Amino acid sequence: MKRTKVKSLLNEKATGQEICVKGWVRTRRGSKHVSFIALNDGSTINNIQVVAEGDHFEEGLIKRITTGSAISVIGILVESKGGGQNVEVLAAAIEILGDADADEYPLQPKKHSLEFLREKAHLRFRTNTFSAVFRIRHALTFAVHKFFNDKGFSNIHTPIITGVDAEGAGEMFQVINFDLENIPTQNGKIDYTQDFFGSKTNLTVSGQLEAELGALALGQVYTFGPTFRSENSNTSRHLSEFWMIEPEVAFADLEENMDLAEEFLKYCIQYCITNCVDDLKFLDDRLSNEEKNLKKEARSDMGLLERLQFVIENDFERLTYREAIDILRNSKPNKKKKFNYIIEGFGSDLQSEHERYLVERKFKKPVIITDYPKGIKAFYMKQNEDGETVRAMDILFPLIGEIVGGSQREEKLEKLSERMEAMDVCKEELWWYLETRKFGTCTHSGFGLGFERLIMFVTGMKNIRDVIPFPRTPQNAQF
Protein backbone atom coordinates (compact mmCIF):
# COMPACT_ATOMS: atom_id res chain seq x y z
CA MET A 1 0.00 0.00 0.00
CA LYS A 2 1.01 3.59 -0.55
CA ARG A 3 2.23 5.28 2.63
CA THR A 4 0.23 8.11 4.20
CA LYS A 5 2.12 10.68 6.25
CA VAL A 6 1.32 11.06 9.95
CA LYS A 7 0.46 14.73 9.49
CA SER A 8 -2.22 13.82 6.95
CA LEU A 9 -3.62 10.99 9.08
CA LEU A 10 -4.00 13.24 12.11
CA ASN A 11 -6.15 15.58 10.03
CA GLU A 12 -8.37 12.72 8.78
CA LYS A 13 -11.64 11.60 10.27
CA ALA A 14 -11.98 8.06 11.57
CA THR A 15 -13.66 6.61 8.50
CA GLY A 16 -12.48 3.06 9.04
CA GLN A 17 -10.37 2.99 5.88
CA GLU A 18 -7.28 0.82 5.64
CA ILE A 19 -4.04 2.80 5.63
CA CYS A 20 -0.29 2.29 5.66
CA VAL A 21 1.94 4.42 7.89
CA LYS A 22 5.71 4.22 8.33
CA GLY A 23 7.95 5.93 10.84
CA TRP A 24 10.20 5.71 13.86
CA VAL A 25 9.01 4.52 17.24
CA ARG A 26 9.05 7.18 19.94
CA THR A 27 7.77 4.91 22.70
CA ARG A 28 6.00 1.59 23.22
CA ARG A 29 4.00 0.82 26.34
CA GLY A 30 1.33 -1.67 27.35
CA SER A 31 1.04 -5.31 28.35
CA LYS A 32 1.18 -8.71 26.67
CA HIS A 33 -2.43 -8.18 25.65
CA VAL A 34 -2.06 -4.82 23.93
CA SER A 35 0.74 -2.44 22.96
CA PHE A 36 0.45 1.29 22.36
CA ILE A 37 3.09 2.57 19.95
CA ALA A 38 3.80 6.29 19.45
CA LEU A 39 4.94 6.62 15.84
CA ASN A 40 6.50 9.67 14.18
CA ASP A 41 7.65 10.12 10.58
CA GLY A 42 8.99 13.69 10.72
CA SER A 43 6.07 15.28 8.88
CA THR A 44 4.83 16.81 12.15
CA ILE A 45 5.95 17.05 15.74
CA ASN A 46 2.85 15.06 16.71
CA ASN A 47 2.85 11.26 16.91
CA ILE A 48 0.11 8.90 15.83
CA GLN A 49 -0.80 6.10 18.20
CA VAL A 50 -0.70 2.57 16.85
CA VAL A 51 -2.65 -0.04 18.82
CA ALA A 52 -1.29 -3.56 18.45
CA GLU A 53 -3.43 -6.24 20.10
CA GLY A 54 -1.31 -9.06 21.48
CA ASP A 55 -3.41 -11.87 19.99
CA HIS A 56 -2.52 -10.74 16.45
CA PHE A 57 1.28 -10.49 16.80
CA GLU A 58 4.12 -12.72 17.92
CA GLU A 59 5.78 -11.76 21.19
CA GLY A 60 9.19 -11.68 19.49
CA LEU A 61 7.97 -9.07 16.99
CA ILE A 62 6.53 -6.84 19.70
CA LYS A 63 9.79 -6.95 21.68
CA ARG A 64 11.67 -5.68 18.61
CA ILE A 65 9.48 -2.55 18.54
CA THR A 66 11.78 -0.37 20.62
CA THR A 67 12.43 3.38 20.78
CA GLY A 68 14.22 4.40 17.59
CA SER A 69 13.25 1.40 15.49
CA ALA A 70 11.68 1.99 12.07
CA ILE A 71 8.44 0.14 11.35
CA SER A 72 5.72 -0.10 8.74
CA VAL A 73 2.12 -0.52 9.87
CA ILE A 74 -0.95 -1.50 7.87
CA GLY A 75 -4.17 -1.04 9.75
CA ILE A 76 -7.52 0.68 10.15
CA LEU A 77 -7.82 4.37 11.03
CA VAL A 78 -10.28 4.50 13.92
CA GLU A 79 -11.51 7.00 16.47
CA SER A 80 -9.13 7.19 19.40
CA LYS A 81 -10.37 5.83 22.70
CA GLY A 82 -7.80 7.82 24.66
CA GLY A 83 -7.15 11.54 25.03
CA GLY A 84 -4.66 13.64 23.12
CA GLN A 85 -5.60 12.61 19.59
CA ASN A 86 -8.73 12.20 17.50
CA VAL A 87 -7.64 9.11 15.59
CA GLU A 88 -5.37 6.13 16.00
CA VAL A 89 -4.35 3.11 13.94
CA LEU A 90 -5.61 -0.36 14.83
CA ALA A 91 -2.75 -2.46 13.50
CA ALA A 92 -3.39 -5.46 11.25
CA ALA A 93 0.21 -5.99 10.12
CA ILE A 94 3.55 -4.66 11.40
CA GLU A 95 6.91 -4.98 9.67
CA ILE A 96 10.21 -4.08 11.32
CA LEU A 97 12.13 -2.00 8.77
CA GLY A 98 15.12 -1.26 10.99
CA ASP A 99 15.91 -2.46 14.51
CA ALA A 100 17.29 -0.14 17.22
CA ASP A 101 19.08 -1.99 20.00
CA ALA A 102 17.68 -0.54 23.25
CA ASP A 103 21.00 -1.14 25.01
CA GLU A 104 22.91 0.96 22.45
CA TYR A 105 20.44 3.54 21.11
CA PRO A 106 21.40 6.79 22.90
CA LEU A 107 18.08 8.66 22.56
CA GLN A 108 15.91 6.84 25.04
CA PRO A 109 12.62 8.50 26.14
CA LYS A 110 14.06 10.82 28.78
CA LYS A 111 15.34 14.40 28.90
CA HIS A 112 18.72 14.89 27.20
CA SER A 113 20.86 18.01 27.52
CA LEU A 114 21.51 20.10 24.42
CA GLU A 115 25.24 19.62 24.99
CA PHE A 116 24.80 15.84 24.86
CA LEU A 117 22.70 16.09 21.70
CA ARG A 118 25.37 18.19 19.95
CA GLU A 119 27.64 15.17 20.36
CA LYS A 120 24.90 13.07 18.69
CA ALA A 121 24.23 15.48 15.81
CA HIS A 122 23.67 12.53 13.47
CA LEU A 123 20.68 11.49 15.62
CA ARG A 124 19.38 14.67 17.22
CA PHE A 125 16.99 15.32 14.30
CA ARG A 126 14.86 12.54 15.86
CA THR A 127 14.15 14.48 19.05
CA ASN A 128 11.08 16.67 19.34
CA THR A 129 13.14 19.81 19.92
CA PHE A 130 15.37 19.44 16.89
CA SER A 131 12.71 18.14 14.53
CA ALA A 132 10.76 21.31 15.37
CA VAL A 133 13.81 23.56 14.93
CA PHE A 134 14.72 22.13 11.54
CA ARG A 135 11.19 22.17 10.18
CA ILE A 136 11.11 25.85 11.13
CA ARG A 137 14.51 26.36 9.49
CA HIS A 138 13.03 24.94 6.29
CA ALA A 139 9.97 27.18 6.59
CA LEU A 140 12.17 30.25 7.02
CA THR A 141 14.28 29.24 4.02
CA PHE A 142 11.14 29.03 1.90
CA ALA A 143 9.85 32.33 3.33
CA VAL A 144 13.08 34.10 2.37
CA HIS A 145 12.86 33.00 -1.25
CA LYS A 146 9.12 33.66 -1.45
CA PHE A 147 9.44 37.18 -0.03
CA PHE A 148 12.11 38.26 -2.49
CA ASN A 149 10.58 36.43 -5.44
CA ASP A 150 7.20 38.06 -4.84
CA LYS A 151 8.88 41.47 -4.73
CA GLY A 152 10.63 40.91 -8.06
CA PHE A 153 14.16 40.24 -6.79
CA SER A 154 16.58 37.98 -8.67
CA ASN A 155 18.53 35.40 -6.67
CA ILE A 156 22.21 35.30 -7.60
CA HIS A 157 24.85 32.80 -6.49
CA THR A 158 27.99 34.63 -5.45
CA PRO A 159 31.38 32.88 -5.17
CA ILE A 160 32.26 30.74 -2.18
CA ILE A 161 35.95 30.84 -3.17
CA THR A 162 37.18 34.41 -3.51
CA GLY A 163 40.27 36.59 -3.41
CA VAL A 164 38.34 39.41 -1.72
CA ASP A 165 38.02 40.23 1.97
CA ALA A 166 34.71 42.09 1.81
CA GLU A 167 34.69 43.10 5.48
CA GLY A 168 38.35 44.00 5.81
CA ALA A 169 38.54 41.86 8.94
CA GLY A 170 41.15 39.46 7.61
CA GLU A 171 39.59 36.51 9.48
CA MET A 172 39.22 34.21 6.48
CA PHE A 173 39.85 30.54 5.79
CA GLN A 174 42.50 30.17 3.12
CA VAL A 175 41.99 27.86 0.14
CA ILE A 176 45.16 26.29 -1.30
CA ASN A 177 45.93 23.33 -3.52
CA PHE A 178 49.66 23.07 -2.82
CA ASP A 179 51.50 19.97 -1.69
CA LEU A 180 51.87 21.08 1.92
CA GLU A 181 55.22 19.30 2.15
CA ASN A 182 56.58 21.29 -0.79
CA ILE A 183 55.07 24.78 -0.96
CA PRO A 184 56.75 26.90 -3.69
CA THR A 185 58.27 30.20 -2.61
CA GLN A 186 59.79 33.22 -4.28
CA ASN A 187 61.97 35.73 -2.44
CA GLY A 188 61.09 34.04 0.83
CA LYS A 189 57.31 34.32 0.33
CA ILE A 190 54.71 31.80 -0.85
CA ASP A 191 54.42 31.91 -4.63
CA TYR A 192 50.65 31.90 -5.14
CA THR A 193 51.05 32.17 -8.91
CA GLN A 194 51.75 28.43 -8.87
CA ASP A 195 48.58 27.63 -6.91
CA PHE A 196 45.39 26.36 -8.57
CA PHE A 197 43.80 29.79 -9.06
CA GLY A 198 47.08 31.63 -9.61
CA SER A 199 46.51 33.94 -6.65
CA LYS A 200 45.75 33.85 -2.94
CA THR A 201 42.15 32.74 -2.35
CA ASN A 202 39.86 32.26 0.65
CA LEU A 203 36.39 31.13 1.65
CA THR A 204 34.00 34.06 1.42
CA VAL A 205 32.88 36.14 4.40
CA SER A 206 30.16 37.87 2.35
CA GLY A 207 28.59 37.94 -1.09
CA GLN A 208 27.79 41.63 -0.81
CA LEU A 209 30.34 43.13 -3.19
CA GLU A 210 29.38 40.73 -5.97
CA ALA A 211 25.68 41.28 -5.21
CA GLU A 212 26.19 45.00 -5.76
CA LEU A 213 27.37 44.24 -9.29
CA GLY A 214 24.15 42.34 -9.95
CA ALA A 215 21.96 45.08 -8.48
CA LEU A 216 23.58 47.67 -10.74
CA ALA A 217 22.17 45.83 -13.74
CA LEU A 218 19.21 43.77 -12.54
CA GLY A 219 17.86 46.42 -10.19
CA GLN A 220 17.29 44.27 -7.11
CA VAL A 221 19.01 41.01 -6.22
CA TYR A 222 19.65 38.84 -3.17
CA THR A 223 22.11 36.16 -2.17
CA PHE A 224 21.45 33.27 0.19
CA GLY A 225 24.48 31.13 0.81
CA PRO A 226 27.17 29.89 3.17
CA THR A 227 29.79 32.26 4.57
CA PHE A 228 32.85 31.56 6.67
CA ARG A 229 34.79 33.28 9.46
CA SER A 230 37.99 31.92 10.98
CA GLU A 231 37.53 34.00 14.12
CA ASN A 232 38.47 31.88 17.14
CA SER A 233 35.19 32.49 18.98
CA ASN A 234 33.34 29.99 21.15
CA THR A 235 30.35 32.12 22.13
CA SER A 236 26.72 31.04 21.84
CA ARG A 237 26.25 33.54 18.97
CA HIS A 238 29.12 32.65 16.62
CA LEU A 239 29.81 29.93 14.07
CA SER A 240 32.72 29.38 11.70
CA GLU A 241 30.30 28.41 8.90
CA PHE A 242 26.88 30.04 8.68
CA TRP A 243 24.33 31.25 6.14
CA MET A 244 23.77 34.82 5.05
CA ILE A 245 20.96 36.58 3.21
CA GLU A 246 22.13 39.72 1.43
CA PRO A 247 19.77 41.82 -0.70
CA GLU A 248 21.07 44.75 -2.75
CA VAL A 249 18.78 47.34 -4.35
CA ALA A 250 19.67 49.97 -6.95
CA PHE A 251 18.21 53.48 -6.58
CA ALA A 252 17.40 52.81 -2.89
CA ASP A 253 18.65 55.01 -0.05
CA LEU A 254 19.05 54.17 3.64
CA GLU A 255 15.39 54.86 4.48
CA GLU A 256 14.20 52.42 1.82
CA ASN A 257 16.80 49.92 3.02
CA MET A 258 15.44 50.07 6.57
CA ASP A 259 11.86 49.74 5.33
CA LEU A 260 12.79 46.65 3.30
CA ALA A 261 14.62 45.00 6.20
CA GLU A 262 11.77 45.59 8.65
CA GLU A 263 9.17 44.31 6.19
CA PHE A 264 11.33 41.27 5.44
CA LEU A 265 11.82 40.30 9.10
CA LYS A 266 8.13 40.68 9.89
CA TYR A 267 7.17 38.65 6.82
CA CYS A 268 9.45 35.74 7.77
CA ILE A 269 8.19 35.68 11.35
CA GLN A 270 4.55 35.85 10.26
CA TYR A 271 5.14 33.02 7.77
CA CYS A 272 6.31 30.77 10.60
CA ILE A 273 3.43 31.76 12.88
CA THR A 274 1.01 30.86 10.09
CA ASN A 275 2.66 27.66 8.88
CA CYS A 276 4.49 26.19 11.89
CA VAL A 277 1.79 26.32 14.56
CA ASP A 278 2.46 22.96 16.23
CA ASP A 279 6.25 23.33 16.23
CA LEU A 280 6.12 26.86 17.66
CA LYS A 281 3.63 25.81 20.32
CA PHE A 282 5.95 22.98 21.36
CA LEU A 283 8.98 25.33 21.49
CA ASP A 284 6.94 27.93 23.39
CA ASP A 285 6.08 25.31 26.04
CA ARG A 286 9.67 24.08 26.08
CA LEU A 287 11.04 27.58 26.71
CA SER A 288 8.48 28.20 29.45
CA ASN A 289 9.42 24.96 31.23
CA GLU A 290 13.13 25.70 30.84
CA GLU A 291 12.79 29.16 32.40
CA LYS A 292 10.86 27.89 35.41
CA ASN A 293 14.21 26.87 36.86
CA LEU A 294 15.68 30.37 36.44
CA LYS A 295 15.53 33.26 38.88
CA LYS A 296 12.67 35.66 38.18
CA GLU A 297 14.97 38.42 36.93
CA ALA A 298 16.59 36.01 34.45
CA ARG A 299 13.30 34.94 32.86
CA SER A 300 12.01 36.39 29.60
CA ASP A 301 9.34 39.07 29.86
CA MET A 302 7.31 37.32 27.17
CA GLY A 303 6.72 33.77 25.99
CA LEU A 304 8.05 32.79 22.58
CA LEU A 305 4.76 33.14 20.68
CA GLU A 306 3.96 36.37 22.49
CA ARG A 307 7.37 37.79 21.57
CA LEU A 308 7.02 36.87 17.89
CA GLN A 309 3.58 38.47 17.73
CA PHE A 310 4.89 41.57 19.48
CA VAL A 311 7.61 42.08 16.85
CA ILE A 312 5.09 41.84 14.03
CA GLU A 313 2.63 44.27 15.59
CA ASN A 314 5.06 47.07 16.50
CA ASP A 315 7.05 49.46 14.37
CA PHE A 316 10.78 49.18 14.98
CA GLU A 317 12.25 52.09 16.96
CA ARG A 318 14.65 54.15 14.83
CA LEU A 319 17.38 56.35 16.28
CA THR A 320 20.84 57.56 15.37
CA TYR A 321 24.05 56.28 16.87
CA ARG A 322 24.53 59.64 18.64
CA GLU A 323 21.10 59.30 20.26
CA ALA A 324 21.84 55.70 21.27
CA ILE A 325 25.18 56.72 22.82
CA ASP A 326 23.54 59.50 24.82
CA ILE A 327 20.92 57.06 26.16
CA LEU A 328 23.56 54.49 27.07
CA ARG A 329 25.99 57.00 28.59
CA ASN A 330 23.26 58.30 30.89
CA SER A 331 21.82 54.87 31.75
CA LYS A 332 22.00 53.43 35.26
CA PRO A 333 24.09 50.39 34.23
CA ASN A 334 26.68 52.71 32.67
CA LYS A 335 26.74 55.22 35.53
CA LYS A 336 27.02 52.43 38.09
CA LYS A 337 29.62 50.68 35.93
CA LYS A 338 27.47 47.56 35.58
CA PHE A 339 28.32 47.30 31.87
CA ASN A 340 31.43 45.28 31.10
CA TYR A 341 32.25 47.93 28.48
CA ILE A 342 31.63 51.44 29.78
CA ILE A 343 30.27 53.91 27.23
CA GLU A 344 32.47 57.02 27.27
CA GLY A 345 30.96 58.83 24.31
CA PHE A 346 30.97 59.16 20.52
CA GLY A 347 33.15 56.50 18.88
CA SER A 348 32.41 53.71 21.35
CA ASP A 349 31.67 50.40 19.64
CA LEU A 350 28.34 48.98 20.81
CA GLN A 351 28.62 45.58 22.46
CA SER A 352 25.87 42.97 22.88
CA GLU A 353 25.11 44.20 26.41
CA HIS A 354 24.48 47.72 25.08
CA GLU A 355 22.31 46.49 22.22
CA ARG A 356 20.18 44.37 24.52
CA TYR A 357 19.76 47.24 26.99
CA LEU A 358 18.31 49.43 24.25
CA VAL A 359 16.00 46.70 22.97
CA GLU A 360 14.91 44.94 26.15
CA ARG A 361 14.97 47.67 28.78
CA LYS A 362 14.77 51.08 27.12
CA PHE A 363 12.41 50.65 24.15
CA LYS A 364 11.15 47.08 24.69
CA LYS A 365 10.94 46.48 20.95
CA PRO A 366 13.33 45.98 18.00
CA VAL A 367 15.60 48.95 17.40
CA ILE A 368 17.30 50.28 14.26
CA ILE A 369 20.42 52.36 14.88
CA THR A 370 21.71 54.52 12.02
CA ASP A 371 24.60 56.84 11.15
CA TYR A 372 27.54 55.17 12.90
CA PRO A 373 31.04 56.69 13.15
CA LYS A 374 32.94 55.88 9.98
CA GLY A 375 35.89 54.61 12.01
CA ILE A 376 34.00 51.53 13.23
CA LYS A 377 32.32 50.65 9.93
CA ALA A 378 33.36 49.16 6.57
CA PHE A 379 34.95 51.10 3.70
CA TYR A 380 32.02 50.76 1.30
CA MET A 381 29.45 52.68 3.37
CA LYS A 382 28.11 56.03 2.17
CA GLN A 383 29.73 58.95 3.99
CA ASN A 384 27.51 61.60 5.53
CA GLU A 385 28.08 65.31 5.01
CA ASP A 386 29.31 65.70 8.61
CA GLY A 387 32.53 63.88 7.68
CA GLU A 388 32.26 61.75 10.82
CA THR A 389 29.49 59.25 10.19
CA VAL A 390 28.29 56.86 7.49
CA ARG A 391 24.83 55.84 6.28
CA ALA A 392 24.86 52.54 8.14
CA MET A 393 22.05 50.76 9.94
CA ASP A 394 21.93 47.85 12.38
CA ILE A 395 18.73 46.14 13.51
CA LEU A 396 18.76 44.89 17.10
CA PHE A 397 16.39 42.18 18.37
CA PRO A 398 15.47 41.03 21.88
CA LEU A 399 17.77 38.30 23.26
CA ILE A 400 19.80 38.27 20.01
CA GLY A 401 21.33 41.74 19.71
CA GLU A 402 22.36 42.61 16.16
CA ILE A 403 20.42 40.54 13.63
CA VAL A 404 20.82 42.74 10.52
CA GLY A 405 23.62 45.03 9.40
CA GLY A 406 23.43 47.19 6.31
CA SER A 407 24.07 50.54 4.71
CA GLN A 408 23.66 52.83 1.78
CA ARG A 409 26.73 52.14 -0.36
CA GLU A 410 29.21 54.83 -1.36
CA GLU A 411 28.58 55.45 -5.05
CA LYS A 412 31.07 58.29 -5.58
CA LEU A 413 34.35 56.99 -6.99
CA GLU A 414 36.57 59.64 -5.41
CA LYS A 415 35.15 59.20 -1.90
CA LEU A 416 35.22 55.40 -2.14
CA SER A 417 38.82 55.46 -3.36
CA GLU A 418 39.90 57.80 -0.56
CA ARG A 419 38.18 55.64 2.05
CA MET A 420 39.88 52.48 0.78
CA GLU A 421 43.26 54.17 1.00
CA ALA A 422 42.56 55.39 4.52
CA MET A 423 41.59 51.85 5.63
CA ASP A 424 44.41 50.08 3.76
CA VAL A 425 42.00 48.19 1.51
CA CYS A 426 43.83 46.99 -1.62
CA LYS A 427 42.41 48.89 -4.59
CA GLU A 428 44.27 46.68 -7.07
CA GLU A 429 42.36 43.61 -5.85
CA LEU A 430 39.05 45.48 -6.04
CA TRP A 431 39.60 47.24 -9.37
CA TRP A 432 36.35 45.76 -10.68
CA TYR A 433 34.38 47.09 -7.70
CA LEU A 434 35.79 50.58 -8.22
CA GLU A 435 35.05 50.40 -11.93
CA THR A 436 31.31 50.10 -11.30
CA ARG A 437 31.49 53.66 -9.93
CA LYS A 438 32.71 54.83 -13.34
CA PHE A 439 29.95 53.33 -15.46
CA GLY A 440 26.38 54.32 -14.62
CA THR A 441 26.75 54.55 -10.88
CA CYS A 442 23.71 55.34 -8.74
CA THR A 443 22.45 55.39 -5.17
CA HIS A 444 22.12 51.80 -3.92
CA SER A 445 21.74 50.03 -0.60
CA GLY A 446 21.66 46.61 0.97
CA PHE A 447 21.93 44.60 4.17
CA GLY A 448 23.04 41.26 5.51
CA LEU A 449 21.01 38.97 7.75
CA GLY A 450 22.65 36.14 9.65
CA PHE A 451 20.16 33.35 8.97
CA GLU A 452 20.97 31.36 12.11
CA ARG A 453 20.35 34.38 14.34
CA LEU A 454 16.89 34.76 12.82
CA ILE A 455 16.22 31.07 13.50
CA MET A 456 17.38 31.53 17.10
CA PHE A 457 14.87 34.32 17.57
CA VAL A 458 11.97 32.44 15.98
CA THR A 459 12.63 29.16 17.82
CA GLY A 460 13.76 30.58 21.18
CA MET A 461 16.93 28.49 21.09
CA LYS A 462 19.73 30.17 23.02
CA ASN A 463 22.79 28.66 21.34
CA ILE A 464 23.47 29.16 17.65
CA ARG A 465 24.92 25.63 17.45
CA ASP A 466 21.40 24.30 17.97
CA VAL A 467 19.83 25.91 14.89
CA ILE A 468 22.21 24.60 12.22
CA PRO A 469 22.32 20.86 11.47
CA PHE A 470 26.07 20.38 11.80
CA PRO A 471 27.79 23.31 13.56
CA ARG A 472 31.31 24.25 12.55
CA THR A 473 33.20 25.88 15.42
CA PRO A 474 36.84 26.04 16.56
CA GLN A 475 38.19 22.52 17.08
CA ASN A 476 34.96 20.99 15.78
CA ALA A 477 34.24 19.78 12.25
CA GLN A 478 32.56 16.46 13.02
CA PHE A 479 29.86 14.87 10.90
Side-chain angles (χ1 to χ4, degrees):
M1 288 183 65
K2 186 177 180 180
R3 175 175 76 100
T4 304
K5 293 181 180 178
V6 169
K7 186 175 183 178
S8 298
L9 289 175
L10 292 174
N11 291 324
E12 291 277 349
K13 292 184 179 180
T15 56
Q17 78 264 35
E18 188 177 50
I19 56 91
C20 173
V21 61
K22 299 180 182 181
W24 295 272
V25 175
R26 286 283 199 260
T27 60
R28 176 179 65 82
R29 59 184 177 82
S31 64
K32 66 177 183 179
H33 301 295
V34 62
S35 291
F36 300 97
I37 304 162
L39 197 66
N40 189 282
D41 66 359
S43 61
T44 172
I45 198 164
N46 299 311
N47 306 321
I48 193 163
Q49 180 166 278
V50 175
V51 181
E53 295 179 347
D55 294 344
H56 297 159
F57 301 97
E58 294 180 1
E59 184 179 352
L61 177 72
I62 296 297
K63 285 184 177 179
R64 288 175 61 195
I65 302 174
T66 58
T67 297
S69 60
I71 66 173
S72 172
V73 179
I74 294 175
I76 306 298
L77 191 68
V78 298
E79 185 176 347
S80 179
K81 295 179 181 179
Q85 67 277 321
N86 295 323
V87 295
E88 60 189 20
V89 178
L90 185 59
I94 297 177
E95 179 186 358
I96 307 293
L97 302 176
D99 290 283
D101 190 326
D103 293 330
E104 294 185 18
Y105 186 60
L107 304 184
Q108 293 301 316
K110 64 178 182 179
K111 184 175 177 62
H112 297 287
S113 72
L114 297 178
E115 291 80 6
F116 171 79
L117 292 172
R118 282 177 216 136
E119 297 172 0
K120 308 293 180 185
H122 58 307
L123 297 173
R124 68 176 180 170
F125 296 100
R126 302 188 188 192
T127 65
N128 284 335
T129 296
F130 286 98
S131 66
V133 166
F134 292 121
R135 275 189 296 269
I136 289 172
R137 184 180 175 111
H138 162 75
L140 282 168
T141 300
F142 185 81
V144 168
H145 288 297
K146 181 168 172 51
F147 174 83
F148 287 117
N149 181 73
D150 291 352
K151 292 186 79 70
F153 280 68
S154 296
N155 178 223
I156 64 170
H157 299 150
T158 53
I160 292 174
I161 299 174
T162 178
V164 176
D165 180 359
E167 298 296 324
E171 295 169 336
M172 305 177 77
F173 289 104
Q174 193 171 343
V175 177
I176 62 171
N177 198 40
F178 287 134
D179 175 359
L180 298 183
E181 302 296 326
N182 186 28
I183 297 177
T185 60
Q186 188 174 43
N187 299 324
K189 296 183 179 181
I190 296 174
D191 184 6
Y192 288 105
T193 63
Q194 295 189 48
D195 202 2
F196 186 88
F197 292 106
S199 61
K200 187 176 179 179
T201 53
N202 310 283
L203 297 179
T204 186
V205 297
S206 170
Q208 177 206 310
L209 302 188
E210 293 88 351
E212 284 188 53
L213 313 184
L216 293 173
L218 300 172
Q220 46 187 18
V221 304
Y222 73 103
T223 75
F224 190 172
T227 50
F228 307 84
R229 302 283 170 91
S230 61
E231 178 183 1
N232 188 15
S233 176
N234 285 286
T235 77
S236 61
R237 299 169 65 242
H238 290 90
L239 290 167
S240 301
E241 175 186 291
F242 55 99
W243 287 70
M244 284 279 283
I245 300 146
E246 298 175 293
E248 289 288 330
V249 185
F251 314 112
D253 61 15
L254 187 66
E255 290 297 323
E256 293 169 282
N257 199 34
M258 289 190 286
D259 291 343
L260 178 69
E262 182 170 343
E263 181 187 1
F264 170 60
L265 286 166
K266 289 181 175 180
Y267 177 92
C268 290
I269 293 169
Q270 181 62 64
Y271 186 90
C272 285
I273 290 173
T274 303
N275 294 280
C276 304
V277 177
D278 291 340
D279 288 324
L280 285 176
K281 179 65 169 64
F282 170 81
L283 291 170
D284 186 38
D285 292 341
R286 177 192 173 279
L287 186 62
S288 176
N289 290 331
E290 182 184 77
E291 293 198 343
K292 285 178 181 177
N293 299 320
L294 300 178
K295 293 181 180 179
K296 187 175 181 180
E297 59 270 20
R299 297 175 191 168
S300 304
D301 293 335
M302 300 180 184
L304 177 60
L305 287 168
E306 186 182 5
R307 189 162 63 235
L308 297 180
Q309 199 64 46
F310 182 80
V311 168
I312 291 172
E313 293 173 353
N314 286 277
D315 293 336
F316 294 4
E317 187 74 27
R318 300 184 182 189
L319 67 157
T320 66
Y321 169 86
R322 287 183 190 275
E323 292 169 332
I325 286 294
D326 286 343
I327 292 169
L328 290 166
R329 189 163 48 83
N330 294 312
S331 69
K332 284 185 179 180
N334 199 64
K335 288 182 175 180
K336 294 184 176 181
K337 302 191 182 302
K338 294 289 181 70
F339 284 143
N340 292 320
Y341 297 88
I342 302 302
I343 296 293
E344 302 291 350
F346 185 86
S348 298
D349 206 351
L350 300 187
Q351 304 295 324
S352 178
E353 60 182 344
H354 308 134
E355 296 169 346
R356 292 189 60 179
Y357 173 84
L358 292 169
V359 173
E360 296 168 27
R361 296 176 63 180
K362 174 63 179 177
F363 295 107
K364 299 186 184 298
K365 64 166 99 170
V367 171
I368 308 180
I369 298 179
T370 66
D371 301 293
Y372 283 81
K374 65 181 182 181
I376 60 174
K377 287 296 182 181
F379 72 91
Y380 49 72
M381 296 186 177
K382 175 75 174 175
Q383 297 175 56
N384 284 320
E385 295 301 321
D386 61 15
E388 289 186 311
T389 60
V390 290
R391 299 289 284 159
M393 67 97 172
D394 286 346
I395 299 182
L396 315 178
F397 260 32
L399 305 179
I400 302 296
E402 182 192 337
I403 195 168
V404 164
S407 70
Q408 185 174 325
R409 315 310 190 189
E410 181 58 76
E411 81 277 10
K412 293 181 179 178
L413 177 61
E414 183 179 350
K415 284 194 171 184
L416 181 61
S417 182
E418 288 175 356
R419 192 78 187 115
M420 292 172 75
E421 289 176 6
M423 297 184 72
D424 292 323
V425 176
C426 183
K427 293 197 290 185
E428 287 72 25
E429 288 182 358
L430 288 173
W431 63 268
W432 46 270
Y433 185 72
L434 285 164
E435 199 164 271
T436 60
R437 273 58 177 177
K438 294 180 181 179
F439 309 131
T441 189
C442 66
T443 299
H444 61 287
S445 301
F447 62 82
L449 166 67
F451 189 46
E452 281 74 24
R453 290 194 182 181
L454 176 60
I455 302 169
M456 285 176 70
F457 181 75
V458 173
T459 61
M461 301 300 286
K462 295 179 179 177
N463 194 312
I464 199 167
R465 302 176 193 206
D466 296 326
V467 296
I468 192 168
F470 306 104
R472 297 290 179 252
T473 53
Q475 302 298 309
N476 178 38
Q478 287 191 74
F479 310 104

